[in-house]
Amino acid sequence: MSKPSSSDPLQPPLFDPKQPSVPISYPIKTLEDLKTRTYFNSFHYPFNIALLPMSNQAASSSSSSSSSSLPNRRRLLVCHDMAGGYLDDKWVQGGTNPDAYAIWHWHLIDVFVYFSHNLVTIPPPCWTNTAHRHGVKVLGTFITEWDEGRAACDVLLSTKESAQMYAERLVELAVTLGFDGWLINMEVNLDRGQIPNLKEFVDHLSSLMHSSVPGSLVLWYDSITVDGDLNWQDQLNYYNKPFFDICDGIFVNYTWKENYPSLSAAVAGDRRFDVYMGIDVFGRNTYGGGQWNVNVALDVLRKDDVSAAIFAPGWVYETKQPPDFETANNSWWDLVEKSWGVLRKYPGVLPFYTNFDQIVCECSETVDEDAVIIFQWTETLCRMLLGATFLAKAFRHVPNSPSFLLLARTPHLNFADSTNPIQVFTDLKGSSYSGGGNITFKGSLEEHAHFEKKIFEAEFVLSELPIHLTYSVKSDGNSSLGLKLAFASSTNKREYILLASQPLNNFSGKFSKAIITNGNKGSSPGWVINEGTIAMNGYTLAEIHAVCYRCDSPSNKLRWLYGSDSSDSFSASTSDYFASLGHISIQTLEYKSDFPVASSWQVDAKYMKWTPGPQGSKILSLQISWELKDGKNHQFRSYNVYLVKSSKQEGTSSRLEHVKEYLGVAQAKCYYVSELKVPSGTYSLKFIIQVCGDDGTLQELDESPYYGLEVEGPQISITM
């Protein structure tokens, strides 16, 4: 793996990790810091604990001969190496760059490695949360290189006990922070006498990771040989197999030749899928040249039936491939998918929810207790469920308010075909139903025709309880949009059920069953909520398709729902078609969101700092943290943080409670409020922690836990 060039961005300035500041992710740079566990004494530590663990339902159910529980097939590993790492993604409460790098093709990935040229690279939690939601394992990197790396190895490998102790420190980091293991990259020359302790380090790390985190991984990078030489083999062979034998796989250096994958597979025997042949996307002596020829190497690996390790897919972003990042990134990953295929599905459990969040938004509004947050949507940052994929979204900075990263789900819309009558794309700047994006369908459609587009693949096994499905649509004229659900039986029999807003005599016979949905006005102007119930006990929901069609005879009810005052807009004489899909929610009929009551939470504050501000105001910084009093670890998507200021009405003793102000979102059970301006006359502050369910529901603000703080007089903390 190459050393960063002199043009790479400088590392962040030195800081005291024990002092409160805007939370960041950062690596561990010395063995001494690893040994003494200084990371856990950092102010930033609790903000870096991943909120979402690796879900058993999200992991593949396929059997595997290794302890890693990865599927028993060829796999795709992606190693994120970009400009030294810890760039926009280091801001754990969000950054200010709306054009930051993103991955949103998680349905193609089995393992994600966060890489940098620091001794211990800890994955920022936004990557871990996003990958885990897709069932993708996340690894940190332990690397020794150059002179300082050799010096570190001399300490690390000085004794068997030392090797074990440092392995235990790495395990503790992975377990506590919630990621799934390590890539070990020893790129230094060693003495042959140090190899036994190196093996002890790898073996102890693997064994302890497996016992501490079932399904975890330790991978070896093809570098040092059993003779202690730094000599990349570009294949699995006698010189590196002893390390392969004591861990979960090998990441083979990317300068291999065409016959090396088959030779490596022969050496691996029944562990051929644990051989990950490297492909450098920058094309530095890599087979096939990388870049826009990445499929050349993948074709060979697919033929030889071994796994692939794609190194530095951020090449598309770093080199500013035209015409823009989103288009170029989709085109590059299309090459991967066409060559490699889609080997993963999202084996989920209900409830399922997506509002196609894949974009950066700028919070420009405050909200009252009955309002919905209003966002101005801008551009892409990180993506989530694309065809069974999730992505992270971010919010841009606003004055006195931090920005942040979140999770959501987006559709699988690769391989656009310009010959189709309807073009389908994710709209990054158009209207959204409830925050997020939408899928737009635009083109030409004749009156009695229909058009289908697959947008999700999944494996939802249904019970005897019916499922309740809702989806929102916004359309022009007589354009209509329904959903087709593909169900598979245990004998692989397929049933296709159509949900539509009105009878479709023209083509409803193409489906096993057509269900007419109930339509209601949505909370956002122009959106219609469609609801339907389906009972398919024992079947697996395998696919979700959008179905574009036209209204045969638009009714007054449809005009009312869509907010149209003119029947001309519902004329069927034109073939122009336009409709948007705003969200999809699937739940069992008896499902109900279960939020712990406010009194069940313990909310605390520390690192509180008051400083004088202009015109009699005060400036406040503090960390707010929350835990359930019963110690249970409920899994929630995120937590919205609101602020209510109470002030005295001028000239009276009356108190005024201001509107609820949206501060940000937390993907940890803590949030740092930095330099909040508290106007003169403010009597008290109330920080509300709104719990966000994975089904898209939000706890009512008046029922949410909060932290209360008196501003004037004694500063009394009120916890509930």
Side-chain angles (χ1 to χ4, degrees):
M1 297 180 179
S2 61
K3 181 177 180 179
S5 66
S6 58
S7 62
D8 285 332
L10 296 175
Q11 293 292 325
L14 294 176
F15 74 107
D16 184 349
K18 292 185 178 181
Q19 294 302 311
S21 63
V22 177
I24 65 169
S25 293
Y26 65 94
I28 296 174
K29 297 186 177 183
T30 69
L31 274 183
E32 181 63 20
D33 284 342
L34 179 61
K35 176 182 178 180
T36 57
R37 306 173 70 252
T38 57
Y39 182 86
F40 297 106
N41 296 322
S42 165
F43 167 81
H44 304 267
Y45 155 62
F47 297 92
N48 281 275
I49 300 173
L51 194 61
L52 297 176
M54 185 71 174
S55 169
N56 291 331
Q57 290 84 5
S60 172
S61 59
S62 302
S63 61
S64 173
S65 59
S66 75
S67 61
S68 67
S69 74
L70 283 168
N72 192 29
R73 55 158 173 78
R74 56 183 167 87
R75 309 159 194 147
L76 187 68
L77 178 151
V78 167
C79 188
H80 177 58
D81 169 56
M82 195 173 74
Y86 299 103
L87 302 175
D88 295 288
D89 54 6
K90 77 178 180 180
W91 303 105
V92 295
Q93 289 186 178
T96 59
N97 178 15
D99 300 315
Y101 176 71
I103 289 177
W104 56 88
H105 296 78
W106 296 98
H107 60 297
L108 302 176
I109 303 170
D110 294 289
V111 181
F112 176 82
V113 179
Y114 194 77
F115 179 89
S116 77
H117 290 272
N118 295 285
L119 181 71
V120 180
T121 301
I122 297 171
C126 62
W127 290 108
T128 305
N129 286 328
T130 302
H132 279 179
R133 191 173 288 275
H134 296 83
V136 175
K137 297 180 188 294
V138 178
L139 309 184
T141 304
F142 181 82
I143 186 171
T144 58
E145 50 189 350
W146 315 311
D147 291 342
E148 58 267 37
R150 174 57 198 260
C153 282
D154 288 343
V155 175
L156 168 70
L157 306 175
S158 58
T159 65
K160 176 181 177 180
E161 291 73 22
S162 175
Q164 291 178 341
M165 181 268 292
Y166 284 111
E168 291 163 6
R169 293 294 187 270
L170 293 179
V171 171
E172 182 183 27
L173 284 167
V175 170
T176 308
L177 297 177
F179 57 95
D180 307 295
W182 296 96
L183 171 67
I184 305 302
N185 184 359
M186 314 291 281
E187 295 203 57
V188 293
N189 285 296
L190 295 179
D191 298 331
R192 190 178 182 89
Q194 293 175 303
I195 297 302
N197 285 340
L198 177 57
K199 289 182 180 179
E200 181 63 31
F201 171 70
V202 176
D203 185 55
H204 192 61
L205 177 62
S206 299
S207 300
L208 195 54
M209 276 302 313
H210 294 161
S211 62
S212 301
V213 182
S216 58
L217 289 174
V218 174
L219 301 181
W220 175 260
Y221 182 69
D222 166 32
S223 50
I224 296 176
T225 70
V226 289
D227 296 323
D229 299 324
L230 179 56
N231 188 1
W232 300 270
Q233 299 299 295
D234 300 327
Q235 62 183 299
L236 178 65
N237 60 19
Y238 164 82
Y239 293 100
N240 52 31
K241 188 173 183 293
F243 302 110
F244 173 80
D245 290 339
I246 55 177
C247 68
D248 298 299
I250 185 169
F251 184 143
V252 175
N253 190 48
Y254 45 75
T255 56
W256 47 270
K257 302 186 185 302
E258 186 170 1
N259 63 328
Y260 286 10
S262 60
L263 292 174
S264 299
V267 174
D270 61 1
R271 291 187 60 198
R272 65 188 303 139
F273 302 132
D274 294 337
V275 176
Y276 299 83
M277 303 297 295
I279 304 170
D280 180 16
V281 182
F282 276 84
R284 293 163 287 201
N285 300 315
T286 199
Y287 183 85
Q291 301 184 11
W292 292 107
N293 294 312
V294 66
N295 55 302
V296 174
L298 287 171
D299 288 345
V300 172
L301 304 182
R302 186 188 70 241
K303 175 179 65 70
D304 291 328
D305 203 24
V306 294
S307 296
I310 293 178
F311 185 73
W315 168 82
V316 176
Y317 182 87
E318 288 191 69
T319 58
K320 296 180 172 60
Q321 293 296 299
D324 56 73
F325 171 60
E326 182 186 1
T327 303
N329 204 37
N330 279 333
S331 298
W332 186 86
W333 281 99
D334 281 355
L335 292 174
V336 174
E337 182 171 331
K338 288 177 180 178
S339 171
W340 198 248
V342 180
L343 303 181
R344 294 187 65 248
K345 293 183 179 180
Y346 183 74
V349 293
L350 297 180
F352 170 89
Y353 174 82
T354 174
N355 62 353
F356 314 116
D357 251 338
Q358 55 188 331
I359 41 190
V360 179
C361 75
E362 181 173 350
C363 181
S364 56
E365 308 282 344
T366 57
V367 295
D368 61 34
E369 59 187 12
D370 298 317
V372 177
I373 302 170
I374 300 173
F375 294 114
Q376 175 185 346
W377 298 101
T378 53
E379 301 177 45
T380 303
L381 178 57
C382 291
R383 304 271 182 124
M384 298 184 191
L385 185 68
L386 240 130
T389 46
F390 288 73
L391 75 109
K393 90 177 176 185
F395 298 82
R396 292 186 61 192
H397 215 337
V398 294
N400 300 317
S401 176
S403 48
F404 23 81
L405 292 167
L406 260 227
L407 297 175
R409 309 181 181 185
T410 55
H412 185 196
L413 302 177
N414 288 357
F415 309 142
D417 186 350
S418 60
T419 65
N420 286 334
I422 303 294
Q423 295 303 299
V424 186
F425 57 92
T426 304
D427 188 350
L428 306 182
K429 298 182 180 180
S431 63
S432 64
Y433 167 66
S434 60
N438 71 71
I439 309 177
T440 293
F441 303 81
K442 183 178 182 180
S444 177
L445 193 66
E446 298 302 325
E447 184 177 354
H448 298 296
H450 77 286
F451 171 80
E452 296 184 20
K453 177 66 176 180
K454 181 170 68 175
I455 57 176
F456 284 107
E457 292 183 1
E459 290 180 346
F460 293 100
V461 180
L462 304 186
S463 68
E464 60 185 21
L465 291 176
I467 59 172
H468 183 68
L469 189 143
T470 64
Y471 61 98
S472 55
V473 175
K474 187 175 185 179
S475 66
D476 290 346
N478 64 344
S479 303
S480 293
L481 187 67
L483 294 180
K484 182 182 85 170
L485 308 182
F487 294 93
S489 70
S490 57
T491 59
N492 209 29
K493 177 185 175 182
R494 288 271 168 158
E495 298 283 347
Y496 299 96
I497 295 182
L498 174 68
L499 286 88
S501 58
Q502 62 172 323
L504 303 170
N505 298 325
N506 296 324
F507 58 88
S508 58
K510 297 180 180 291
F511 305 94
S512 308
K513 184 179 181 180
I515 296 176
I516 305 305
T517 59
N518 296 319
N520 298 283
K521 272 188 175 182
S523 57
S524 300
W527 289 94
V528 175
I529 306 301
N530 296 277
E531 300 184 60
T533 300
I534 302 173
M536 294 293 289
N537 182 22
Y539 279 77
T540 297
L541 175 57
E543 297 175 0
I544 303 175
H545 298 239
V547 180
C548 302
Y549 63 97
R550 294 197 168 279
C551 304
D552 291 335
S553 55
S555 65
N556 289 331
K557 180 180 180 181
L558 285 175
R559 284 195 290 273
W560 169 77
L561 286 173
Y562 285 96
S564 173
D565 295 325
S566 172
S567 59
D568 293 340
S569 64
F570 283 84
S571 171
S573 61
T574 177
S575 62
D576 291 343
Y577 183 93
F578 183 91
S580 298
L581 180 64
H583 88 284
I584 300 174
S585 174
I586 306 174
Q587 303 171 350
T588 57
L589 197 58
E590 296 181 356
Y591 173 81
K592 183 179 180 181
S593 297
D594 183 20
F595 293 115
V597 297
S599 59
S600 63
W601 293 89
Q602 177 72 30
V603 187
D604 295 305
K606 57 182 179 179
Y607 301 109
M608 191 179 303
K609 180 181 178 182
W610 292 92
T611 55
Q615 300 176 332
S617 65
K618 298 179 181 180
I619 306 299
L620 171 65
S621 295
L622 81 164
Q623 176 188 317
I624 305 169
S625 59
W626 50 92
E627 288 285 350
L628 285 166
K629 295 177 182 178
D630 62 9
K632 293 182 179 179
N633 188 25
H634 288 262
Q635 300 304 322
F636 298 110
R637 186 185 71 207
S638 56
Y639 302 88
N640 291 327
V641 181
Y642 289 84
L643 171 64
V644 179
K645 300 172 184 174
S646 296
S647 60
K648 294 180 180 178
Q649 190 172 8
E650 188 173 353
T652 72
S653 59
S654 301
R655 299 172 184 173
L656 297 176
E657 185 174 280
H658 294 228
V659 297
K660 295 177 174 65
E661 203 177 313
Y662 185 67
L663 295 183
V665 68
Q667 285 199 76
K669 294 178 183 177
C670 52
Y671 187 82
Y672 186 63
V673 179
S674 178
E675 298 185 350
L676 175 72
K677 183 178 179 181
V678 181
S680 175
T682 301
Y683 177 81
S684 65
L685 302 175
K686 182 179 181 181
F687 296 93
I688 302 174
I689 314 301
Q690 183 184 47
V691 183
C692 305
D694 203 37
D695 59 350
T697 57
L698 304 174
Q699 188 170 24
E700 294 293 334
L701 291 177
D702 289 340
E703 299 174 3
S704 298
Y706 67 88
Y707 180 81
L709 180 63
E710 298 292 329
V711 176
E712 297 181 350
Q715 294 175 352
I716 303 172
S717 299
I718 308 171
T719 302
M720 183 172 183

